Each structure stands twice: as structure tokens, then as C-alpha cells.
Amino acid sequence: MCWLIQNYIYNPEDNKHYEGAFTQGNGYVNIRGSFEEDLDGATQNDIYWRLPANVTLEKARHSKSKWGVYVPGIYGVHPILGEEIVNLPYFLGVNLYFDSERLDMEVSDYRDFTRSLNMKNAVLERSFTWKIKGNDIEVNFKRYCSMENKNLVVQELVLNSLDKDVELRLENFIDAGITTNGYNHFTKVLLENDEALKAFVTTDTNQEVGIYSKVFVDGSDKSAIGFSSSESRIIESFNIHLKKNNRIIIKKYSIITTSIDTDYKNDIRSLLHSKAKAINNNITMDSHEKLWQERWNISDINIVGDKEVQLATRFSIYHLLRAVNDSDKVAIDAKAYAGEAYFGHYFWDTEIYLLPFYIYTQPQHAKNLLMYRYNTLKGAKENAKRYGYEGARYPWEACISGWEQCSNWQYSDLEIHVTADIVYGMWNYYEATGDEEFLLNEMLEIMVETARYWVSRVDVVDCKYRLLGVMGPDEYLPFTNDNSFTNYMVKFSLNKTLEVLEIAKKNNLDKFNELKVTNEEIDLIRKVSSELVFLLDDKSKFIHQCEGFEKFLEVDFEKVWIDKSKPFGNFISQEKNYRSKALKQADVVALLYLFKNDFDEDIKKNCIKYYEKLTTHDSSLSYIFHSLVYSDIKDSKSAYEFLHKSLGIDLYGKGSAEGIHIANCGGIWQGIVMGLCGLGLSSNNKELILNPNLPEHIKKIEFKIYLKRRLYKVTVEKQQVDIKEITK
Amino acid sequence: MCWLIQNYIYNPEDNKHYEGAFTQGNGYVNIRGSFEEDLDGATQNDIYWRLPANVTLEKARHSKSKWGVYVPGIYGVHPILGEEIVNLPYFLGVNLYFDSERLDMEVSDYRDFTRSLNMKNAVLERSFTWKIKGNDIEVNFKRYCSMENKNLVVQELVLNSLDKDVELRLENFIDAGITTNGYNHFTKVLLENDEALKAFVTTDTNQEVGIYSKVFVDGSDKSAIGFSSSESRIIESFNIHLKKNNRIIIKKYSIITTSIDTDYKNDIRSLLHSKAKAINNNITMDSHEKLWQERWNISDINIVGDKEVQLATRFSIYHLLRAVNDSDKVAIDAKAYAGEAYFGHYFWDTEIYLLPFYIYTQPQHAKNLLMYRYNTLKGAKENAKRYGYEGARYPWEACISGWEQCSNWQYSDLEIHVTADIVYGMWNYYEATGDEEFLLNEMLEIMVETARYWVSRVDVVDCKYRLLGVMGPDEYLPFTNDNSFTNYMVKFSLNKTLEVLEIAKKNNLDKFNELKVTNEEIDLIRKVSSELVFLLDDKSKFIHQCEGFEKFLEVDFEKVWIDKSKPFGNFISQEKNYRSKALKQADVVALLYLFKNDFDEDIKKNCIKYYEKLTTHDSSLSYIFHSLVYSDIKDSKSAYEFLHKSLGIDLYGKGSAEGIHIANCGGIWQGIVMGLCGLGLSSNNKELILNPNLPEHIKKIEFKIYLKRRLYKVTVEKQQVDIKEITK
């Protein structure tokens, strides 16, 4: 049925991968799939300096397990890395003791270990038989982040002694001794116990978090037999009498609230207590399951003929659904709140990789993501000013404030395409939803302010408008002129701005007047958009990645890249890489997909043939755009091959250890829907069109699509396609 | 007489400047000219993160005073900035109390304040009258770092009450609560008192430092009346009975020893105690003064007709003499151990700016500085390997190990000319000293290993050897191809290597065989050295700074640089600067001076005319090379103008606050000797030649020069020059 992600052997080598892959979330809190109990040798409070190095090559520093509890919007300030997501106190803690021996996956003897994530209802489960001093005790853990009550996390533990009556001790705990990327963001920690455990922490940005955790043993809220606490951990203990073959069910309910909750009124304690009142032993997961079912009902893709692709696609959609936030003050970070790499920052991924999934299946979330950009426009304007330009310049790495958070200057200073990518994403949203209200207000404002940036950022050299000193999506060439991806994206962004300005001007809209756009300004935008250099060679039907690309050094990949299981970047110094013809990821190839109607087949074929050979795919963003372009040029074999490589990024090996490559998840959705099925819009944007290109073995693909607030069911089969509106 | 640097008003705004300018040293320990007593509001143990930012623009973080005690070779490891000089415990501490009121330059009432550095004997003195509760007390502090006993620092305090008998309390203290660039490098601090104060600290590199400090009041080593200590400070108190008009002399002797002392034998305590035995109240400064006199006798320059230039030149020579170390395991850092900016790292400054002074006046020190490079050759080889090249690649920022210490990749990765600059400096040393032993051993090894690096670093593009992705001395253009300075320096370095290899091969020297240089290797070095691109346009008589320099953006300096009292870099984003035709410092102009015999006058005139207009002189290394080229082309007015700008860098304003711009000091010496006086070597290197170009108002310049171990007195006057050998 392809709904379960499973793991049958605990192995410290890939445990962090499963923790990432099993991350749960409900649009408010996200929790890595770590064990409930402590793991020998897996300290959670290591202090070290994660430095602003080349992000691809930086080694992760923490141990075989890294707990992760993230509430997007709760952030700290790291002295080097800037605004950063904060890993909050781990409140799922449950330790089991037989005499003085603690259950520990590293140390204990056990058999029949299974853990699995049921993507359908987002429940994580683990079962095994603990063999302890001649006893066989069945242990089963379950948990979920409630989709009904977003502050609630529910856990269930079922114990059964197979051989005789035994006495166990259970410790319920909350641990606040947690660092994020080696840094302690808590300025205050308060741990309490009375009828339950409580933890209050304050971050170094003065945000507050309150956590409440209560245990019910076998249907009763019987009192703990004891409490203990250290500086960072509070514990309550329970005796568990297990009669032979008599299952005991222990339930643990936790409430997490923060000072960014909409109902927070300057008192985290009273907020926590008022929410904790909802806790009782009769909570069921019916509503939770129903809410997940509703989401799947719209966003699922049914694939007949390839179980691996089916599973991987569901896995991608699962994470897209659980990581997207209810708030429009945050977006989705590069690791989808399933780890701390990239510090919880937002990149161009949002608009280019993630947005289509939401636009076409969860449009309200798409709007939230775009409203996040609108809400950080002030920061983007300050960025532009800081760099000496007009208008708004979105940061390469964004967090809460909208100010640039990237501590590597070559990215923050040079990878300017993000500002145009945002307009591209917004335009896609508008085309699919027809949301004119948004177009003529927030979008218009962003368009005008970013156009002002571009007009001041371009240089005139030899009587041509040019963008000098730019890094395109290919981060292995940092300092180039007239990067084609960037320039084309900017031209597009300015063209669309002109279109919207025309409407706004004609209708004398308030927003238009508020923005004080002059005719001279419009003329200049027109001039820049039409005259900005774009290095398409019409004769040879070829797009140059940037000025003088052909003069960069040839790389003898066979000689240099001696172990292809590791990134190419491991085998060459950054300095040499920066002057060599080795691409980190799709650059012109990305452009060919994003503007597939603008370029003819010869250009596409020439470019992908040339650039693919030079591309290392050291970035997880690379494979899927190759798949999409191959789909477009009807090379279904190569399209499937690259799709398959994308699928593996998070699903296999250690891919998810530091979090989920969520951009790739969004890419996979596009790879199936826009790639294999060839979904697009008619030229008037009013109808869906299909131009499918299924691989031989895939018999059928079914999914649903929103267009202009109508829902359609799409079925693609070898011999026929079908688009049918669904009446809700 | 021009031997005194003086200051008549204490002002918190420029106090750090005087602390830097008044730095004392003896080739072992260097001490900033801070006050002996505490200064209100000037904390010394602030913790903060000094980040790897653009070093020109980074704001210094500490307060109106920063103590500084540095023993070069004692270093810490900063998690971000790498190996770093350590600011050691401040052992000069003396506080004076009248009742409970502490003498404090920020708070107390006083008049007739003077502090002055006598450069002749390197004694720092401060005097003033303290007006306290109706009493006038004359206070005079003196101190010096003994040139005779390098571990000894001598202080003297003379007190005289003008109006009546008074009772004062004196606190002698050592303070170990000191951070370096906001970081605490001490892992262990032990403070003791018995017959004297003692402090032992261990650095985070496990080096040890022991300090002993003893006070004699009015000729006796009378006991302290009390001791007190905190975590980081130890204090002993004395009562001082001041009879009216009866001067009391207090002497304080301190011994500082470290685990890098040549006589250290794994026991810092016994080393300290054995050295402390030398302390008694009869120490005179006769030998100290004599040793300074000997140094000045060789290195002084006498200038008739311009007192300002005379003073500034002495000031430069003073710091060159006091900062140069007795050891060949360290060099002279960018701030000459008079501050912590640049973290105590060594740059190309050593070979290009500093070395000529030592070669021609203190050749043994020149050799030590070059031996430092030889002693870090292992690190340079590891650097080359890390970057993927053969041979040895010297670090842009060097410290103890020879590994790269620069944490800004654009400098460390791209500013590769340093490796050739080192050979250039060594060659100058060889030409002036005739030290063939060094040439055919250490130098040959460095030459061969660095040649191996260059041969693997060059790229062949269009059948030409080129150096791509390079930053030249002009750090405002980071990523250029075929920077002329670099390429010419490399060609020179390889040519000289070939010359020496020929001798070594012909004589079948051990070192030659040890290095296993093959004929093929020699051929390749020859090929690269002769074919490496050099962008001299013979027709237009012009050297291009790098490939396509003319295509970088024009800057409207008038419009952008609105306040020329601040660096240009403050008014433009790094990103825009990096694509603009604005030079941080001399680049081609530096080349014209360093190879003045290789280029004709037309080239020099064309280039300086073109580049000077584009040069911001944001680097302190820039002015003096302009002065030197102007001297060379006989434009004495411009030469003097730029020399004058150089003089002001450390002498006026706040120039020395973070330390001394020692490269500029070496540059000033060259500006006088090689510039105004036009000193050079005959083509066979056997004779000094003079081609002077004195400004109108300078009547005479006299100095001494070593050539091939002979000492010459040089006199340059308007109408005549004289070179006379001195019989020692």
C-alpha cells in the first residue's frame, strides 16, 4: 500500500538518518523521530562552533542521535550565524528500568525491533521485545503531533511481560540541556513538578516557551513515586507492575506553548495552564486522523506500476504537508524543521522548489508562504539600503527579520537571483489562483520595490545593461558577469512588474499611488528589462551560463573525482573549483525548465547535453531539474533516471540525518506532475493541459489539482489522459 | 633633537593611540604604553567575538584603554581566527590611594600632565601633579623593558608632596583577567604572594608563563602591609609616608619567563625563581642604554632641514628596533606587537616592507626573519597539499605553525603572491649580504619547493601559462586573472631559482641532491618562468593590473566618497567594490618600485598617472610605494607629499590605537633611503650607488648601511653625496 517508512535494525551509523526521515509535525511543532529514552553516548548539549564555512562541505558535529523539537518562529541569535532556529527542550522523554538497568538501544538486549512511520496518519511507532534478566517484555511506543490541537503531542507506551510478573520503573522526563548547532540559546530555564512536569525556557531573543507533560498509567493519573531534577532535566518516576500477559498502557500527553502563539498574552504560564486543562485520558486520535485524511485526499499522488516511486513520492508529500506552517511569519527552512543544518534559514527553495506543490494542492499555504515574503519586505528594503541600492533586495538566507542571515559573503553578496525568484514564484501563484487582490496589493508592492533594486543594481558597460559580479544557482562559480539564469529571471520579473503596473496605473489603484511610481521610473524599468544582456546564441542555439564561461578551466573529472560516493567538492580546493568548469547544480538547465515555453527544443537539447557533463550534482537541488528538462524533451529514460536519483536523497543512506532536503521533495512532486505527466497551463491560464511522458513501466498516475479555486482530478495513463472537475 | 614623542593631555578619545605609539620592547617582551594604574571604565576582560570580516572595515571593540603584554611565540588558538598572539597578564599595575580615593586619569584632579617616550633609550615617562583634598603631590612614573636582561621590566615611581606631609597607600598588582580580541586564552591561572607577587598562566596551547613582581619602597624591600586577591588579580599594599618636599622613590622590578625561553626546562616555576634572584634594588639602566645606543648608532638616520620627517623617521626606526625578535621562530606581526588587530599574524609585509631596513642595518635580524620562513616550510608544504598542489605555498596569514591562519577565504585562497614575495625578500638579503651559505641551503630549498608550487598552480589556457583566480596586493579586486604584480613576482622568483639551481647542480651540492630536482623539472620551471603571461603593453608603455582591468566599473569618487577622512571602503558595499575600478593600495605601482631597474620611465609615468587616480589608499601599505616611484621618476614634490602622508599614519590622530603599522615604518625607512636618497646596488651588487632626489628644504640626510658585512656611512646633500666605509 506504500504508506509506511520502516526500519528493522537500530544502527548508530544511520540512526540520525531515521530520526530525520521520521520527523513529525502539525504546522506548529516539528519533532525529530528520536527514541523516547536516552541513548548511550548520545549527548545532546555539546558546545562547539559551527562556522560559516562552505555549507556543502561542512561536517556535522553532533553524535549518533540528535533530538529535535522546533517551533518555527522561535529563534535565537547566534553570534556568528545570525538568527537561528532553536532546538527546544525534549519533552518526549521516557526511560524504563528493570532494577537498575535502563532500557537503551545501544546497550540492552532486544529482538524483533521495528520502527515505522505511517504517513497516512503521521503516527510514529516502535516495537521490540526487551530481553532483560530472563524476562521477555514486549515494548511498543507510539506518538503523534496532534493535527487537531496543535499544542498537543500524544504518546502511548504499551508494555507486556511474556513470561512472568515483573516490576519496572518508568521515568517521565523533560530535558532542557539542548544546544542548537553547538550553541546554547536558553538564557533562562525553569523546571517544575506538581501534578505534572513543567519546563519554562527563555531564548536569547527573549521569546518564551512553556511545556507541560503528564503521564497516565493504565488508565489512571496515579501519582509519581518520586521526583528528581538536575540543572537541565526534570524527572518523575512511576512503578509499573506488569502481570504476565497483561498489557499495560501508559499515555503521555504534552502541551507546548510559546510566546508567538496567537493567544499568548504576555504570560506563558497562564497560557500553558489553560491549555493543559484540555488534557485527560480520553483523548482519541479520530480528529487527528481525519484532518490528515483531508490533506491526503487533495495532495496525494497515486502511482501504478512503480512502488518505489510511489513510496518516495508519498514520503515527499508527507514532509511537505507536515512542515508547512500555519503562520505567515515563517516559511519552510532548507531542512524542513527536521534538523539544524542551514540554521533554520529560508532560501530560494521556497519559491522555486516548494511553492508549486502548495499552489496546486494547498493554495492557502502557498499564500502564507508568499505573505511571509511580504511580511519581511521591510527587512529586504533595509538590505538594499545596506548594499547601497534602491528598493528591496531579499536576503539569500532569510529568517525572522528579513535581514540577510548568510554569514558567507560570497553567497549573501552575490547570489542575488533570489529577489527575482520570489516574483517568479508569486507570478505562478497568481496565474494558478487568479488571486487579483494579492496581485494588485502585496505583489505589486514587492514587484515595484524589487524592480527599484534591479534598476539600481544593473551596470551599463559598453552601452549595455549588465549584472556584474553575480553568483547564479551554480555556487561553484561565485564571481561571474551576466549569469543567464539571473539575468533572464530579472527580465521576467521586470516584464511582469510592467504588466501589473499598467493595470494598476490604468485603474488608478491606491497601492499604485502609495508607491509613487513615476513615468520615468516605468520607462527605466522597461529599458532595463528589454536591454539587459541575455547570453543566448541564436545561431548555435545555446545559452552560455555566464560571460566567458568557456574560458573557465576544464576539469578532468575521472582524475580528480576519485570517489563518486562523496561530493566532488571534497576532492578539489574551493579556490580551484571557483575557476573551473564544474557545476554544483543545474543553472542554465534550471532556466530551461522554469521557462520551458520560452526556449525551443534545440536549445534545450544542446544545453542539457553540454552542461550535464559538467554538473557534479553536489547540491540536492540539481537532479530533479535535469529530470524535468528530460521529460520536457521527451527523453523519458533519462527523466526517470534523474527522478530516481532525486528519490534517493532523503530516503536512503544517511540522507536525512541533518534534516529533510525539502526542496527536493517539492522537486519530486514537480518531477511527477510537471515532468512525467507534463502538467501545464493553457496560454490563457484557464485550463490545465497535459503533455505526459510516462516511463514504460508506469501504468497510471492520478492526482488532484486546484486551478482558480476549482479542484480537478487528473488521470494519466499510457494511452489516455483525463481531467475532471470535482464537485466538493 | 627629535628623540621624544610627547603627549600633554590625557584624552580618552586618543588614549589608545598613545598606548600603541608608546609601546616598548626588547626583542622578547612588548608592552603597550598604558597607564600603570586602573582607568575608570576601561575593562580589560571583555568577551566578544571578533569575526573574520573585512579587516580594513572591522571596528575595534575594546574600550578607551587596552593593556597589552605580548611575548611573541606565546600564542593561543581562537576557534575562528586560528593561532593568535596572547595578551598576557598585566604586571605593571600600580594603584595609588589617598584615603579611599584612587588616582585615576579619568576621575582625579591633576595638572601639568606629560607623558613622553624617549626613543633614544626606550624609556617611557609620565609626570603630573595630583591635586587631592588640598594636597599637591608630584607623581612621576618611568619604565623600560631591559635590553640587557630580556626577562626584566623595570619601573620607577617618584612621589613628592609639595604642601604637607601625607599618607598614601600603594597597591602593586598583577592582573590576569585579560582577553585577547575578546577571547580568554588562559586555561589555568595561579596567583601567589610571598616575598613578591607571582602569577602563572597556562594558555590553551599549553604554553606556560610565569611572572614575578617585587616592589622596593624608598630603597628598602619592606614588607607589604596586606595582600588581597580575586580570581584574576593579586594585590599587595604598602603604606607610603610622604614628608613635605621629600621625594620618595618606589621601584618595581618584574620578571617574565615563558616555556619558549631557551633556558626553559619543563618547569616554569624554577625558571622564574632562578631569574628572580637577579633582582635587587641596585639595578641601573647603564647597560640597557648602551645597548640601545649601539642599535641607534647603526640604524639611525639624521635628517637636516625637516624636524617632522626626522621625528617620524626615528619613530619608525624605534619600532623596527624594539619589535624585532631575538628568535627565528617568530617574525614581526602586522601591528608590531603593539596591539591585537590582525591577531599577531605575519603577512608579506615582512619581506617587502620590513626586510630592507634589517638587511642594510641589522643583517642578523634579517636572517632571523628569513629563517622564520625556513622554519615554517613544513607548514607551507602542508598548505600546498591541502590546496591540491605540489611543493610549498606560504600562508597569507602566518603564525607559529606556518599553516594558513587567515579566516577570510578570499585572502587566504587568492592572495598567493606572498609565496613569491618571500623569495624576492630572500634574494635581496642575499644580494646585500652575500650569504652564500644561506643561499645554497635554506634558500635553495625554499626556492625549489615554492617553484614546485607555482608550476602546479599555473594553468594553461590558449597555450599560455596563466595564473587565474588571483588577488593581487590590491585587495579590492579579489578574483582576477594574471594579476601583473603576482605574475611578474613569480617570474622573478622562478628565474632566480633557476640561477641558483644551476650553481647547485654544477657543484653537485648535497642540498641539490637531497631535493631530487630532475632535469625535466628544471625545464618546466624555465618554461613557466619565461612563458607566464605578463600584461605589459609595449606599444602604449603600460602595465595592466590584470586581465580586463579596464572593464571593471568606473567609480565616481566625488559622489561616492563623501567623507575622505574615512576609508573609501566605508562608503561602498564590498560587493560593489569588488567589481569596481577602485584600488585599495598600490599594485602595479608597487611592482614599479620593487623592480625599478626593469621598467623604463615612460612605463612608470604612464602607470602611476593612471593608477594613482584610482587608488583609495585604504591600506596603510599604499602611500609609501607611491612616494618611492615618484622619487624614482624625479618628481620630488609628489614623492615628499606621499612620504608625508605615510608619516602621519601612526604618528597622528588615532593611528596607533590598535598597534603600529610596522610595514609602513619599514616603508618610511625605504622612502628616505631608497627614495629621497636613491640608494641602490651596482649591477654586480658590490657597491652602493646613490641617485638622490632631495626635496628643496631638506639639506642633508646621513645614515649607515651594511653591504657584504662592511659598514658604510652615507651622506647625501643637495650638491654632493658621500659613501665612506667605517672601520669598526
Side-chain angles (χ1 to χ4, degrees), chain A residues 49 51-52 79-80 183 386-389 393 408-410 413-414 453 456-462 466 468-469 478-479 481 547 551-553 572-576 578-579, chain B residues 49 51-52 79-80 183 386-389 393 408-410 413-414 453 456-462 466 468-469 478-479 481 547 551-553 572-576 578-579:
Chain A
W49 286 100
L51 301 181
I80 299 168
Y183 191 82
R386 189 167 63 81
Y387 278 98
Y389 302 108
R393 179 198 198 276
N408 293 292
W409 70 263
Q410 69 268 41
D413 285 9
L414 309 179
Y453 166 67
S456 65
R457 175 60 173 79
V458 290
D459 295 309
V460 179
V461 183
D462 301 338
R466 306 184 56 187
L468 308 180
F479 210 80
N481 296 333
E547 184 191 35
K551 285 196 180 167
F552 285 86
L553 290 180
I572 190 168
S573 67
Q574 174 176 286
E575 168 264 307
K576 189 154 192 180
Y578 275 4
R579 57 195 158 93
Chain B
W49 286 100
L51 301 180
I80 299 167
Y183 191 80
R386 187 167 66 81
Y387 277 97
Y389 302 108
R393 180 196 196 278
N408 292 294
W409 69 264
Q410 69 267 39
D413 285 10
L414 309 179
Y453 166 66
S456 66
R457 175 60 174 80
V458 291
D459 294 311
V460 179
V461 182
D462 302 338
R466 306 185 55 188
L468 308 180
F479 211 79
N481 296 332
E547 184 190 35
K551 285 197 180 165
F552 284 86
L553 290 181
I572 189 168
S573 67
Q574 176 176 286
E575 168 264 306
K576 188 154 192 179
Y578 275 3
R579 57 194 158 92

Side-chain angles (χ1 to χ4, degrees), chain B residues 509-561:
Chain B
L509 297 180
D510 289 352
K511 182 59 87 176
F512 177 78
N513 295 322
E514 182 191 305
L515 290 166
K516 296 192 173 52
V517 185
T518 64
N519 288 336
E520 293 70 35
E521 211 174 358
I522 293 177
D523 289 346
L524 185 57
I525 295 172
R526 183 169 295 115
K527 203 166 150 58
V528 172
S529 90
S530 71
E531 292 178 19
L532 183 62
V533 164
F534 177 60
L535 296 170
L536 166 65
D537 186 332
D538 274 325
K539 268 194 201 149
S540 64
K541 295 277 186 181
F542 183 75
I543 299 168
H544 297 270
Q545 183 174 317
C546 60
E547 184 190 35
F549 179 80
E550 60 286 357
K551 285 197 180 165
F552 284 86
L553 290 181
E554 300 286 344
V555 178
D556 184 343
F557 285 101
E558 289 312 307
K559 199 174 145 198
V560 178
W561 198 355

